[in-house]
Amino acid sequence: MIHKKTTFTSKSKTALASLLLAGTILTGGMSTAATAQDKVVVAVSPLGADSNLYWTTTGAFIFPSMQTLVGNSAETGKYDNSQLAESWEHNEDFTSWTFKLHPNAVFSDDWGPVTSADVVHSFEIHTGDDAKLSGISALKETTLTAIDDHTVRFDLPTPDPDFLFSHAGRGSLVIYSKAQFDAEGMEGYEAAPAGSGPFKYEGRDVGQSMTFSSIKDHWSGASPEFDEIEFRWVSEPSTRLAMLAAGEAHAVTLPRDLRDDAAEAGETVLSSSAGAMQSTMLFTGKFMKPEAEETRDATSYAWADARVREAVNRALDRDGILEVLYGEGVEALPVYTMDPRFPGYSQELADRFDEDYGYDPEKAMALLKEAGYPEAFDNAAIPLVVTSLAGNPEFAQMAELVQAYLDVVGIETEMREQDWATGNTAIRGFTADFVTPMRNAPVRPAALGVQIFFTEHASPHLDLGDPEINALGGELLTETDPEKRDAILNEMFTSIYESYAHIPMAAVPATVVVSSDLVEGWTFPGSTSSGLSHFELIDLK
């Protein structure tokens, strides 16, 4: 199996608490007998919603028994036909997408073949009033038609060249069996939903674990080399690490400091084959709007001045920050939402990044002096949000590190603790007056990401208030020619980059720590909301 393997060395930046913890739970643990190889155990953080009804969750975890229409290549993360759609096509303006199902796809437990009727049925329940999925709004205004038993067509209200994103790793539509629903109703799904994936749902201990059995001779050709896989929901990272050390788990998710400890103890850290998340610090408010907002004067923020924004970026030693936050091998991100897998990517900007954004405190101080900082600004202090978000425990430390570097060059800061929901409400209501960590996960297609985080054209959106970027975003809504879309996106990213409109941080892979005694490798692209997928490719020793 192809996989990315990372070996860490001890660093002085590792927290003392982590070192003490490692000393207490790793001593002697590696000699414990290995778990039986007919069952794989994966220990992860608890889910936000523990339900068999996928559409009632936020979409953080797709059961390995269930499938979407479109797959993602394990090696590259690009779209492929490894899920239920054998092929697809679209009309010239991307308002109609047609999917042909694999003719041999079947549901488990003898619920019959997967047909267009199952897709229509699943679409109806996923777009109902109780749907909580992130991104489901893109499907709610869509019309779905069954052309024949194995062909469905989605007709969209507006062009969407990135429609595959909703049907792949993001998983806004998971296909359930209509035959099971007709026979057992919603109670059947709640008890044991039939799926078409290479695993069969066996049961759950609510709040504790879920178990799936491997399907032999699966219709897709997938062939897991183990009989069962169990997911255990374990809140404490230290407990997950102890499970790995004791041979009670094959794979676990861990924060970076404990990943380092596990690697020091001889375990293996695997990274996704493609980027799973992008991180940034975002300036908020329509600060690039020439005129003041109706409710507040966004131009009074210190970061409304491009020289201050550049100074903030020049003040940061990103290599040092990213090593502390994410460990070795994580690269700086030239422009948030720009990704080499999607249109609009600019290698030129990536090549210029060190020159334009590199650590230069003297340049930062010169820019501040030129801008008349702090005297020239009514709101000179920059509030930095200290917050937490599931899956991103480093966000609080990110704000603290940024504050330390800004202090060195003389930028006044204010540390503001607030929960994620409060901050998000303020950002999207344009009442925010702070700088906050933000993530893009799973990495959205560039055209979608740039609209959400920088323009007025997505819902929900943030909007810099920049007339040029908003005009380009408007063109993107109607332009369907691939070359022209690429050029528009490239221009948008260049404008964001050259105006220092944000504080880009990193492109981060998904990681999992596996037992070096039990697991040889595991290839996964990091394309899902949880980062993990392709469980059938776990390669045991």
Side-chain angles (χ1 to χ4, degrees), residues 313-485:
N313 277 285
R314 297 279 194 178
L316 304 180
D317 177 6
R318 278 181 176 77
D319 290 342
I321 290 174
L322 298 185
E323 183 176 341
V324 171
L325 294 179
Y326 303 111
E328 296 177 347
V330 174
E331 298 180 354
L333 180 69
V335 186
Y336 185 60
T337 72
M338 187 177 79
D339 186 278
R341 287 168 289 184
F342 300 114
Y345 183 77
S346 172
Q347 186 60 49
E348 179 190 355
L349 297 183
D351 293 340
R352 288 170 46 192
F353 188 72
D354 285 343
E355 178 184 350
D356 297 334
Y357 281 73
Y359 181 43
D360 191 343
E362 291 186 0
K363 174 72 171 177
M365 288 187 281
L367 287 164
L368 293 171
K369 183 177 181 180
E370 181 184 330
Y373 183 89
E375 292 81 5
F377 301 93
D378 294 335
N379 294 303
I382 297 179
L384 299 173
V385 168
V386 180
T387 189
S388 61
L389 179 63
N392 293 92
E394 73 280 356
F395 273 4
Q397 191 176 20
M398 180 185 293
E400 293 165 357
L401 289 169
V402 168
Q403 190 238 9
Y405 280 105
L406 297 188
D407 182 64
V408 170
V409 300
I411 296 176
E412 299 174 12
T413 58
E414 168 196 336
M415 304 305 283
R416 186 178 298 180
E417 293 189 16
Q418 65 185 26
D419 63 79
W420 183 260
T422 299
N424 228 17
T425 299
I427 290 169
R428 289 168 176 171
F430 301 109
T431 60
D433 57 350
F434 47 73
V435 176
T436 184
M438 189 64 65
R439 73 176 181 191
N440 179 22
V443 178
R444 298 166 174 86
L448 177 60
V450 75
Q451 297 280 41
I452 291 173
F453 293 104
F454 296 107
T455 81
E456 64 185 0
H457 298 295
S459 179
H461 61 280
L462 279 75
D463 189 8
L464 302 176
D466 182 85
E468 177 187 354
I469 293 174
N470 275 327
L472 290 168
E475 293 179 29
L476 200 60
L477 293 177
T478 56
E479 183 57 66
T480 58
D481 180 87
E483 291 186 4
K484 292 180 180 179
R485 288 178 61 82

Side-chain angles (χ1 to χ4, degrees), residues 55-129:
W55 62 93
T56 67
T57 75
T58 58
F61 179 67
I62 300 177
F63 294 178
S65 59
M66 309 301 290
Q67 291 186 301
T68 54
L69 288 178
V70 180
N72 293 91
S73 165
E75 289 78 16
T76 67
K78 293 183 177 180
Y79 303 127
D80 67 13
N81 66 351
S82 60
Q83 295 285 296
L84 286 172
E86 181 180 47
S87 61
W88 52 83
E89 60 184 15
H90 56 78
N91 63 355
E92 186 174 351
D93 68 355
F94 295 93
T95 58
S96 183
W97 287 77
T98 301
F99 296 81
K100 289 189 176 293
L101 304 177
H102 283 284
N104 56 338
V106 295
F107 287 106
S108 60
D109 288 328
D110 299 320
W111 285 111
V114 179
T115 69
S116 57
D118 300 300
V119 179
V120 172
H121 165 70
S122 299
F123 175 81
E124 290 173 348
I125 58 177
H126 278 67
T127 55
D129 293 339

